[in-house]
């Protein structure tokens, strides 16, 4: 008798057949329809909470953006008038230009510095028997790099107010004064104030991405680095031909996160800039303009219109980044 044949068991007047699978085991029981209500019930609560506390406020903001609501009386619907007025607002247009520069400078600087340090910490050390390793004390350095990330943005802003102090009592200007260089107005000069704030955000963000990229590099098989070393590849070649292609998915995620940070910047500009976005709106951002129009001028409809524009800018950036940087996944 071969395995998988039907076994006939005679009991009484007629044969009774007992079916078995090709492996000699009973067939697997199919999932019943009674399981779906359990799954739906399990997901209903989080979906409901998300709809109420996330989707609901978004829809309400879209509605308020079409009104002239000032918080004291019932709003009047004015259509797209707020959006038309936005692009005649010099402060808002300045904020959009600042986001463009931040969107270029922040991800580029942060990713470049984080990749450099992560590569040194994981692959930049002397070759060992198991393949190339990181520098000595790499675990300690990762902790040191990550420390600025755990500081609140307000604390970072107050800290760099002392570092950027325009007199020789500031840390940077104090060092410049010792070598005979005149103090620099880091936050009072409209030409460099925005770049000074971007530098602070880069300083705070690098540590997180060093750890993120280090985790991605740790998942790359050491055999690939060993094979590259046997072929005589330099560190430069190993980075661009081996490490970077295999780290592309992690790099893509990091770029999207940094882009979202570039569209925010509210807290650091609020704390660190002169006159909250100054001097002369040289450091203002859209989130700060939303706050100013809503809570200083009580123009909630106009502020909501700014929020809608910021929402679509962020979503568009994330979608375009994921689309443009999409590539075939490398399996190993």
């Amino acid at each position: 008798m071969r395995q998988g044949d039907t076994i006939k068991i005679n009991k009484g007047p007629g044969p009774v057949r007992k079916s078995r699978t090709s492996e000699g085991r009973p067939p697997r029981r199919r999932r019943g329809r009674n399981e779906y209500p359990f799954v739906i019930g399990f997901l209903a609560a989080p979906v409901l909470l998300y709809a109420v506390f996330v989707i609901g406020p978004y829809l309400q903001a879209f509605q308020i953006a079409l009104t002239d609501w000032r918080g004291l009386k019932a709003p009047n619907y004015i259509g797209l008038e707020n959006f038309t007025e936005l692009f005649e607002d010099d402060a808002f247009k300045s904020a959009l230009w600042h986001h463009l520069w931040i969107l270029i400078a922040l991800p580029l600087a942060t990713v470049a510095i984080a990749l450099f340090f992560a590569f040194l910490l994981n692959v930049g050390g002397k070759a060992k028997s198991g393949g190339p390793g990181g520098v000595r004390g790499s675990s300690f350095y990762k902790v040191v790099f990550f420390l600025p990330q755990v500081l609140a943005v307000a604390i970072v802003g107050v800290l760099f107010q002392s570092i950027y102090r325009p007199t020789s009592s500031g840390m940077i200007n104090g060092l410049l004064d010792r070598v005979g260089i005149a103090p620099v107005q880091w936050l009072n000069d409209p030409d460099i104030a925005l770049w000074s704030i971007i530098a602070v955000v880069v300083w705070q963000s690098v540590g997180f991405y060093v750890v993120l990229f280090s985790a991605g590099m740790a998942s790359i098989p050491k055999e690939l680095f060993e094979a590259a070393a046997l072929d005589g590849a330099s560190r430069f070649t190993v980075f661009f031909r081996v490490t970077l292609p295999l780290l592309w998915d992690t790099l893509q995620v990091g770029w999207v996160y940094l882009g979202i940070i570039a569209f925010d910047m509210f807290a650091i500009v609020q704390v660190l800039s002169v006159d909250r976005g100054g001097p002369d709106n040289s450091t203002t951002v859209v989130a700060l303009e939303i706050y100013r129009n809503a809570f200083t001028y009580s123009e909630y409809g106009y502020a909501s219109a700014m929020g809608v524009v910021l929402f679509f800018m962020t979503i568009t950036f994330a979608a375009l980044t994921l689309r443009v940087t999409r590539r075939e996944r490398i399996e190993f």
Side-chain angles (χ1 to χ4, degrees), residues 227-251:
L230 291 175
D231 290 339
S234 63
R235 301 281 183 179
F236 183 86
T237 303
V238 169
F239 176 76
F240 284 99
R241 295 296 182 87
V242 177
T243 306
L244 199 58
L246 295 177
L247 201 64
W248 190 260
D249 289 343
T250 306
L251 188 65

Short mmCIF file of all heavy atoms in Angstrom, two decimals, residues 227-251:
data_model
loop_
_atom_site.label_atom_id
_atom_site.label_comp_id
_atom_site.label_asym_id
_atom_site.label_seq_id
_atom_site.Cartn_x
_atom_site.Cartn_y
_atom_site.Cartn_z
N ALA A 227 35.40 39.91 1.40
CA ALA A 227 35.63 39.70 -0.04
C ALA A 227 36.15 40.96 -0.70
O ALA A 227 37.05 40.90 -1.55
CB ALA A 227 34.32 39.25 -0.69
N ALA A 228 35.62 42.12 -0.30
CA ALA A 228 36.11 43.37 -0.88
C ALA A 228 37.56 43.63 -0.48
O ALA A 228 38.37 44.10 -1.30
CB ALA A 228 35.22 44.54 -0.41
N ALA A 229 37.91 43.29 0.76
CA ALA A 229 39.29 43.49 1.20
C ALA A 229 40.24 42.56 0.45
O ALA A 229 41.35 42.95 0.08
CB ALA A 229 39.39 43.25 2.71
N LEU A 230 39.81 41.32 0.20
CA LEU A 230 40.65 40.38 -0.54
C LEU A 230 40.86 40.84 -1.99
O LEU A 230 41.90 40.55 -2.59
CB LEU A 230 40.02 38.98 -0.52
CG LEU A 230 40.02 38.26 0.84
CD1 LEU A 230 39.26 36.96 0.75
CD2 LEU A 230 41.45 38.02 1.31
N ASP A 231 39.87 41.54 -2.53
CA ASP A 231 40.00 42.06 -3.90
C ASP A 231 40.82 43.33 -3.96
O ASP A 231 41.01 43.90 -5.04
CB ASP A 231 38.62 42.33 -4.50
CG ASP A 231 37.87 41.03 -4.80
OD1 ASP A 231 38.54 40.00 -4.92
OD2 ASP A 231 36.63 41.07 -4.89
N GLY A 232 41.29 43.79 -2.80
CA GLY A 232 42.12 44.99 -2.76
C GLY A 232 41.35 46.29 -2.80
O GLY A 232 41.91 47.33 -3.13
N ALA A 233 40.07 46.27 -2.43
CA ALA A 233 39.26 47.49 -2.45
C ALA A 233 39.67 48.41 -1.31
O ALA A 233 39.91 47.97 -0.19
CB ALA A 233 37.77 47.14 -2.33
N SER A 234 39.72 49.71 -1.59
CA SER A 234 40.04 50.69 -0.57
C SER A 234 38.80 50.96 0.30
O SER A 234 37.69 50.53 -0.02
CB SER A 234 40.51 51.99 -1.22
OG SER A 234 39.47 52.56 -2.00
N ARG A 235 39.02 51.70 1.40
CA ARG A 235 37.89 52.06 2.26
C ARG A 235 36.87 52.88 1.48
O ARG A 235 35.67 52.72 1.67
CB ARG A 235 38.39 52.86 3.45
CG ARG A 235 39.42 52.16 4.31
CD ARG A 235 38.78 51.17 5.24
NE ARG A 235 39.77 50.55 6.11
CZ ARG A 235 39.49 49.66 7.03
NH1 ARG A 235 38.24 49.27 7.20
NH2 ARG A 235 40.44 49.13 7.76
N PHE A 236 37.34 53.76 0.64
CA PHE A 236 36.45 54.59 -0.18
C PHE A 236 35.59 53.72 -1.07
O PHE A 236 34.37 53.92 -1.18
CB PHE A 236 37.31 55.56 -1.00
CG PHE A 236 36.51 56.53 -1.82
CD1 PHE A 236 36.06 57.72 -1.28
CD2 PHE A 236 36.22 56.25 -3.16
CE1 PHE A 236 35.33 58.61 -2.05
CE2 PHE A 236 35.49 57.13 -3.92
CZ PHE A 236 35.04 58.32 -3.36
N THR A 237 36.21 52.74 -1.72
CA THR A 237 35.47 51.85 -2.61
C THR A 237 34.49 50.99 -1.84
O THR A 237 33.35 50.76 -2.28
CB THR A 237 36.45 50.96 -3.40
OG1 THR A 237 37.37 51.80 -4.11
CG2 THR A 237 35.70 50.08 -4.38
N VAL A 238 34.91 50.48 -0.69
CA VAL A 238 34.03 49.65 0.13
C VAL A 238 32.79 50.43 0.54
O VAL A 238 31.66 49.91 0.53
CB VAL A 238 34.78 49.13 1.38
CG1 VAL A 238 33.82 48.50 2.37
CG2 VAL A 238 35.84 48.12 0.97
N PHE A 239 32.99 51.71 0.88
CA PHE A 239 31.85 52.51 1.32
C PHE A 239 30.83 52.71 0.19
O PHE A 239 29.64 52.50 0.38
CB PHE A 239 32.33 53.87 1.83
CG PHE A 239 31.21 54.80 2.23
CD1 PHE A 239 30.54 54.62 3.42
CD2 PHE A 239 30.83 55.84 1.41
CE1 PHE A 239 29.50 55.46 3.78
CE2 PHE A 239 29.81 56.69 1.75
CZ PHE A 239 29.14 56.50 2.95
N PHE A 240 31.31 53.10 -0.99
CA PHE A 240 30.39 53.45 -2.08
C PHE A 240 29.91 52.23 -2.86
O PHE A 240 28.84 52.29 -3.48
CB PHE A 240 31.06 54.45 -3.02
CG PHE A 240 31.11 55.84 -2.48
CD1 PHE A 240 32.26 56.33 -1.89
CD2 PHE A 240 29.99 56.66 -2.54
CE1 PHE A 240 32.30 57.62 -1.39
CE2 PHE A 240 30.03 57.95 -2.04
CZ PHE A 240 31.19 58.43 -1.46
N ARG A 241 30.65 51.13 -2.85
CA ARG A 241 30.27 49.96 -3.65
C ARG A 241 29.60 48.88 -2.82
O ARG A 241 28.87 48.04 -3.37
CB ARG A 241 31.50 49.38 -4.34
CG ARG A 241 32.13 50.31 -5.38
CD ARG A 241 31.18 50.55 -6.54
NE ARG A 241 31.78 51.39 -7.57
CZ ARG A 241 32.51 50.93 -8.57
NH1 ARG A 241 32.75 49.62 -8.66
NH2 ARG A 241 33.01 51.75 -9.47
N VAL A 242 29.84 48.87 -1.52
CA VAL A 242 29.28 47.81 -0.68
C VAL A 242 28.32 48.38 0.37
O VAL A 242 27.15 48.02 0.43
CB VAL A 242 30.40 47.00 0.03
CG1 VAL A 242 29.79 45.94 0.95
CG2 VAL A 242 31.33 46.37 -0.99
N THR A 243 28.83 49.29 1.19
CA THR A 243 28.04 49.77 2.33
C THR A 243 26.83 50.58 1.89
O THR A 243 25.70 50.32 2.32
CB THR A 243 28.93 50.62 3.25
OG1 THR A 243 30.08 49.87 3.63
CG2 THR A 243 28.15 51.01 4.50
N LEU A 244 27.04 51.58 1.05
CA LEU A 244 25.95 52.49 0.68
C LEU A 244 24.81 51.79 -0.06
O LEU A 244 23.63 52.02 0.28
CB LEU A 244 26.51 53.64 -0.16
CG LEU A 244 25.65 54.91 -0.25
CD1 LEU A 244 25.37 55.45 1.14
CD2 LEU A 244 26.35 55.96 -1.09
N PRO A 245 25.07 50.92 -1.05
CA PRO A 245 23.93 50.23 -1.70
C PRO A 245 23.12 49.37 -0.74
O PRO A 245 21.89 49.30 -0.85
CB PRO A 245 24.61 49.39 -2.78
CG PRO A 245 25.91 50.07 -3.06
CD PRO A 245 26.35 50.62 -1.75
N LEU A 246 23.79 48.69 0.19
CA LEU A 246 23.08 47.81 1.12
C LEU A 246 22.40 48.59 2.24
O LEU A 246 21.56 48.04 2.96
CB LEU A 246 24.04 46.79 1.72
CG LEU A 246 24.65 45.80 0.72
CD1 LEU A 246 25.65 44.89 1.41
CD2 LEU A 246 23.55 44.97 0.06
N LEU A 247 22.74 49.86 2.38
CA LEU A 247 22.15 50.71 3.42
C LEU A 247 21.09 51.64 2.85
O LEU A 247 20.61 52.53 3.54
CB LEU A 247 23.27 51.53 4.08
CG LEU A 247 23.04 52.10 5.47
CD1 LEU A 247 22.87 50.98 6.49
CD2 LEU A 247 24.18 53.01 5.88
N TRP A 248 20.72 51.42 1.59
CA TRP A 248 19.86 52.38 0.90
C TRP A 248 18.49 52.53 1.56
O TRP A 248 17.97 53.65 1.68
CB TRP A 248 19.70 51.96 -0.55
CG TRP A 248 19.03 53.00 -1.38
CD1 TRP A 248 17.73 53.04 -1.78
CD2 TRP A 248 19.65 54.19 -1.90
NE1 TRP A 248 17.49 54.17 -2.52
CE2 TRP A 248 18.64 54.90 -2.61
CE3 TRP A 248 20.93 54.72 -1.83
CZ2 TRP A 248 18.90 56.11 -3.24
CZ3 TRP A 248 21.18 55.93 -2.48
CH2 TRP A 248 20.16 56.59 -3.17
N ASP A 249 17.87 51.44 1.99
CA ASP A 249 16.54 51.53 2.61
C ASP A 249 16.59 52.35 3.89
O ASP A 249 15.70 53.18 4.15
CB ASP A 249 16.00 50.13 2.90
CG ASP A 249 15.61 49.39 1.64
OD1 ASP A 249 15.47 50.05 0.59
OD2 ASP A 249 15.49 48.15 1.68
N THR A 250 17.60 52.13 4.71
CA THR A 250 17.75 52.90 5.94
C THR A 250 18.01 54.36 5.63
O THR A 250 17.48 55.26 6.29
CB THR A 250 18.91 52.33 6.78
OG1 THR A 250 18.71 50.94 6.98
CG2 THR A 250 19.00 53.03 8.12
N LEU A 251 18.81 54.62 4.61
CA LEU A 251 19.10 55.99 4.19
C LEU A 251 17.83 56.69 3.72
O LEU A 251 17.61 57.88 3.99
CB LEU A 251 20.15 55.96 3.09
CG LEU A 251 20.74 57.29 2.64
CD1 LEU A 251 21.53 57.92 3.77
CD2 LEU A 251 21.64 57.10 1.44
#
